[in-house]
Amino acid sequence: MESQEQRVSVVIVDEHGYRLGESLGEDRMLTLVALASEDPACWDDMEAAWPRYRSPAVPEFISGMAIERVELAVALQAVSCDGAWVVIDLAQKRVVAGPDSPMAGRDVELDIVDGGSRLNRCTLGVHLPPWWEYHENADSRFAFSTRETQIVVSTCKRQVLYGEPLLRDLAERMLRRFAARSANDSSVLEDLRSRYDMTVGVHRDWLMTPRPDLGGKTPREQLHGAHRWLEQIVSTQQTRCVQGNVLFALPSDITGYETAPMDFVELVIYFDLCRELISAGWIWCRNVGLRLDKGTSRIPLEAHRRLVEFLRDIQSQWMHEPDEDGLSPAYIIECSRGRVPCGSGIEILGLEAQRGERHVGNCDCPICNLMADNAFGPSFIVFDGYHLELDDEFAFSAHETREDWEAEQGDDSELGIDLLDNSRNQGSHSSPFKELSANKKDDDDFDVEHQDMLSALERAVELVQANGLVGVAMAAAPEDEFAPVWSNSMGSDPLPGNPQGHLKFAFLLAEIISLLQSAAMGREEIQQLNERFTRFRQSGEAGLVTSSHRLSEALEGCAEQFPQLISRVADFQSKLDEHLRAKAFGSDCDYPV
């Protein structure tokens, strides 16, 4: 959206009164409307959310806007003068715009351009919550009228979902099931199928049972209601991050933060948490060997207390244990609640939880080293949640209503879709914190990894493919000994996040190192090769030629020991020379490899 000279009067209403911004530019007006995407309840909330929506075309702080407190009579006058007006009613959760206001809709992403320069763009997302009313081309008499529909806000009581109510409920259900089943079969927990069926039953019953502390609603109802809205907000923030903007998490002191609805990412993590607790609880039950006296169904209070205490410790440990990227479930949930994307190489201000150190495997892979240096730029974790559907239970499904879930079940059956294979074919990733699932029912150790680790090379290839590229295709021995050893269809365009061309070199060098490892070359020589490649890609203009020659010498040494690498080394060296020539003439150094 290019900035226009059209001016709009904006009235903001909250429980404390009225504010008026007269004759605001279109960019400023739309930024104020976009703030309503966060479901603010007062002016202070809009002020707190301002950094998440600010662009170069508007002031750094909302206080820099010409907006003042006014009486109702002044506000009424502002919307009756002409049709270029907007009312943002925070109390009634509605946006009303006059017929001459340049509105864009309730769900849209816009490009804000500063000063007409198309090089200085920033995405602005308008994604109003589903319970907000939105009216365009309205008559001024409608500006301050009562909203047409009842306000029904989706909320989430996390003190129930994550707190003592969860632990006490799971403990009681587990003890009853274990005691009842073990009375007839003392080895019930050794039967993997039986144990998994019990896990599904406990988890399902927790989610589907109405509770007084939830106002008669089920825990499952607390997990849904706003996924699409929140996904749109996070998607816009991700776009802003890619554009080079610093991200700001939604402040935790904004009105309604504690009971704000859950998004899809938190839903996935919550599923995994419940399965982790239940899986751990069964092992506790097996070790304790609880039995109920015949003729009674009463659970010993001491056993219940001890299991709750045990589950509390498991929850705390699991929530704060980082994965190989340094991301713990607690950090991922905080990103989710802060409505910002989660991943690596992302600067996010306003988060209380801190990322752990990213683990880098010692595998002598140049691609690993590039990843460790964040050479690919920001990368985002995608949660597809396919494992929520593996049990064929509506309780765990990502669908909000049973009708939608049943409709998809019918479609999947008709098309013969395998959920697991389909999600993998699409290149998506499951949660990194998977509980005991249908193909991992024999994991009893609490420290067992919760997902199959991808190798660094596979992860790098996935990263390239995720950006719409084709991976490097390494051909067999060419018929022409002077023909290039490697070929690919990536063309000459720079790879996303790595315009220096180092990523293409890393793929080629990774194959050479793999062949050296297969030929039992010493670790010290391989490390030296990696070190010289690191110096090459980290060299400035002054040291580029020297570092390139030293890398070339190291490669020649490898070829002397292993003649089968001569063609690859020669080809690699020719690409190094081409890289230096491109640099010398100021051309794009990311050539076709």
Side-chain angles (χ1 to χ4, degrees):
M1 182 207 69
E2 302 287 350
S3 295
Q4 304 292 328
E5 291 300 322
Q6 183 173 3
R7 298 291 171 171
V8 185
S9 293
V10 179
V11 178
I12 299 171
V13 186
D14 65 11
E15 60 181 3
H16 302 296
Y18 303 85
R19 283 181 169 81
L20 172 63
E22 287 189 288
S23 192
L24 297 181
E26 184 178 345
D27 290 338
R28 299 189 178 204
M29 178 273 292
L30 287 173
T31 303
L32 290 171
V33 173
L35 288 175
S37 302
E38 301 290 358
D39 196 23
C42 60
W43 175 256
D44 288 345
D45 290 345
M46 296 185 74
E47 188 173 23
W50 179 262
R52 292 169 50 80
Y53 292 82
R54 179 186 172 271
S55 69
V58 301
E60 182 177 359
F61 303 103
I62 198 172
S63 57
M65 304 272 281
I67 299 176
E68 299 179 349
R69 281 183 173 276
V70 297
E71 298 297 325
L72 174 59
V74 177
L76 289 171
Q77 180 65 27
V79 303
S80 62
C81 295
D82 55 44
W85 55 265
V86 176
V87 175
I88 305 173
D89 192 333
L90 307 182
Q92 294 197 83
K93 300 186 182 299
R94 68 200 296 256
V95 173
V96 185
D100 295 333
S101 298
M103 302 298 285
R106 65 174 298 143
D107 284 308
V108 66
E109 288 194 357
L110 308 166
D111 276 339
I112 299 293
V113 182
D114 182 25
S117 170
R118 303 184 67 85
L119 298 177
N120 198 359
R121 292 177 175 270
C122 184
T123 294
L124 177 70
V126 180
H127 301 296
L128 298 184
W131 46 88
W132 274 63
E133 287 187 352
Y134 179 82
H135 305 278
E136 291 187 27
N137 302 314
D139 186 275
S140 60
R141 293 171 294 180
F142 189 66
F144 300 104
S145 62
T146 303
R147 63 177 281 153
E148 298 177 338
T149 57
Q150 183 182 0
I151 301 176
V152 181
V153 180
S154 296
T155 58
C156 179
K157 292 187 178 180
R158 290 176 176 80
Q159 68 271 28
V160 174
L161 296 183
Y162 291 97
E164 289 296 301
L166 166 69
L167 303 179
R168 294 180 64 83
D169 187 281
L170 292 183
E172 181 175 351
R173 294 183 190 279
M174 294 178 71
L175 289 172
R176 289 190 182 282
R177 282 180 181 265
F178 174 65
R181 296 285 292 272
S182 62
N184 299 320
D185 181 4
S186 60
S187 62
V188 61
L189 289 182
E190 307 304 326
D191 182 342
L192 302 180
R193 183 71 259 174
S194 295
R195 189 173 69 186
Y196 190 71
D197 289 344
M198 291 166 63
T199 295
V200 171
V202 169
H203 192 182
R204 179 189 59 233
D205 292 348
W206 155 250
L207 290 176
M208 301 300 288
T209 303
R211 296 182 57 87
D213 51 9
L214 295 178
K217 294 185 176 181
T218 67
R220 188 189 193 278
E221 292 176 273
Q222 299 285 299
L223 310 180
H224 296 268
H227 289 177
R228 181 177 177 274
W229 162 54
L230 294 172
E231 181 181 3
Q232 290 174 316
I233 290 180
V234 174
S235 177
T236 299
Q237 293 297 314
Q238 180 171 318
T239 300
R240 289 170 65 92
C241 177
V242 172
Q243 293 169 338
N245 298 285
V246 175
L247 298 187
F248 291 83
L250 186 71
S252 60
D253 58 355
I254 199 168
T255 304
Y257 180 86
E258 291 301 324
T259 58
M262 183 179 290
D263 75 351
F264 178 73
V265 171
E266 189 178 358
L267 168 70
V268 173
I269 298 297
Y270 187 71
F271 174 95
D272 296 334
L273 169 64
C274 290
R275 290 298 174 95
E276 181 77 12
L277 293 174
I278 298 171
S279 179
W282 292 139
I283 299 174
W284 185 90
C285 289
R286 183 184 63 184
N287 293 340
V288 171
L290 175 73
R291 299 288 190 280
L292 287 183
D293 295 333
K294 290 184 178 180
T296 179
S297 60
R298 178 176 299 176
I299 299 295
L301 293 179
E302 178 62 14
H304 184 263
R305 183 194 66 78
R306 289 174 56 199
L307 180 52
V308 168
E309 184 176 305
F310 173 78
L311 294 179
R312 189 184 302 119
D313 291 340
I314 292 296
Q315 180 181 18
S316 177
Q317 177 184 343
W318 184 83
M319 288 287 285
H320 296 94
E321 184 175 356
D323 68 357
E324 68 275 10
D325 288 315
L327 306 177
S328 67
Y331 180 84
I332 295 173
I333 289 174
E334 186 164 351
C335 287
S336 175
R337 297 186 64 186
R339 300 172 190 172
V340 287
C342 186
S344 302
I346 306 171
E347 181 181 3
I348 303 175
L349 300 182
L351 289 182
E352 295 182 5
Q354 298 297 315
R355 280 190 55 194
E357 291 296 325
R358 183 174 182 177
H359 171 73
V360 180
N362 188 17
C363 59
D364 295 324
C365 175
I367 300 175
C368 292
N369 295 331
L370 273 169
M371 294 174 67
D373 293 343
N374 284 323
F376 301 129
S379 60
F380 307 96
I381 294 182
V382 177
F383 293 80
D384 61 19
Y386 76 85
H387 57 301
L388 275 62
E389 310 291 345
L390 294 180
D391 293 318
D392 196 25
E393 288 275 359
F394 166 67
F396 314 131
S397 172
H399 289 288
E400 182 175 357
T401 66
R402 185 176 290 274
E403 290 75 17
D404 289 344
W405 177 74
E406 289 177 346
E408 182 176 271
Q409 296 298 102
D411 291 343
D412 290 347
S413 175
E414 191 173 313
L415 297 174
I417 295 176
D418 182 293
L419 290 173
L420 177 59
D421 289 342
N422 187 48
S423 65
R424 286 176 176 169
N425 289 338
Q426 293 173 353
S428 53
H429 302 273
S430 67
S431 163
F433 307 101
K434 253 194 277 186
E435 205 277 327
L436 182 68
S437 65
N439 58 355
K440 276 200 170 187
K441 300 188 184 66
D442 55 351
D443 295 335
D444 287 345
D445 191 335
F446 296 149
D447 295 326
V448 73
E449 289 295 339
H450 299 285
Q451 73 168 19
D452 296 328
M453 293 294 185
L454 294 173
S455 70
L457 178 58
E458 289 171 331
R459 294 175 62 201
V461 170
E462 284 187 348
L463 180 60
V464 174
Q465 292 174 335
N467 286 282
L469 301 166
V470 179
V472 175
M474 288 171 263
E479 295 180 5
D480 181 358
E481 62 177 321
F482 298 106
V485 179
W486 291 287
S487 63
N488 72 86
S489 57
M490 285 192 286
S492 59
D493 293 333
L495 294 183
N498 190 242
Q500 301 84 1
H502 299 150
L503 177 55
K504 292 181 177 180
F505 277 120
F507 272 109
L508 307 185
L509 186 59
E511 187 191 358
I512 291 176
I513 289 177
S514 176
L515 293 172
L516 291 173
Q517 290 172 330
S518 299
M521 186 176 193
R523 176 82 186 280
E524 185 176 341
E525 290 85 350
I526 292 177
Q527 287 180 328
Q528 183 187 56
L529 190 57
N530 266 316
E531 289 171 2
R532 295 202 177 184
F533 178 63
T534 300
R535 292 195 189 100
F536 161 72
R537 61 184 178 81
Q538 292 178 349
S539 292
E541 259 183 60
L544 184 60
V545 173
T546 300
S547 62
S548 175
H549 288 168
R550 288 180 177 173
L551 174 58
S552 182
E553 290 172 357
L555 288 166
E556 283 183 8
C558 296
E560 288 176 2
Q561 293 186 57
F562 304 98
Q564 64 268 35
L565 292 178
I566 290 177
S567 58
R568 281 181 168 80
V569 168
D571 204 12
F572 194 104
Q573 289 173 322
S574 70
K575 297 181 191 307
L576 278 177
D577 292 340
E578 188 174 351
H579 182 87
L580 292 177
R581 287 195 297 272
K583 278 288 190 178
F585 289 99
S587 305
D588 183 3
C589 63
D590 202 11
Y591 49 81
V593 176

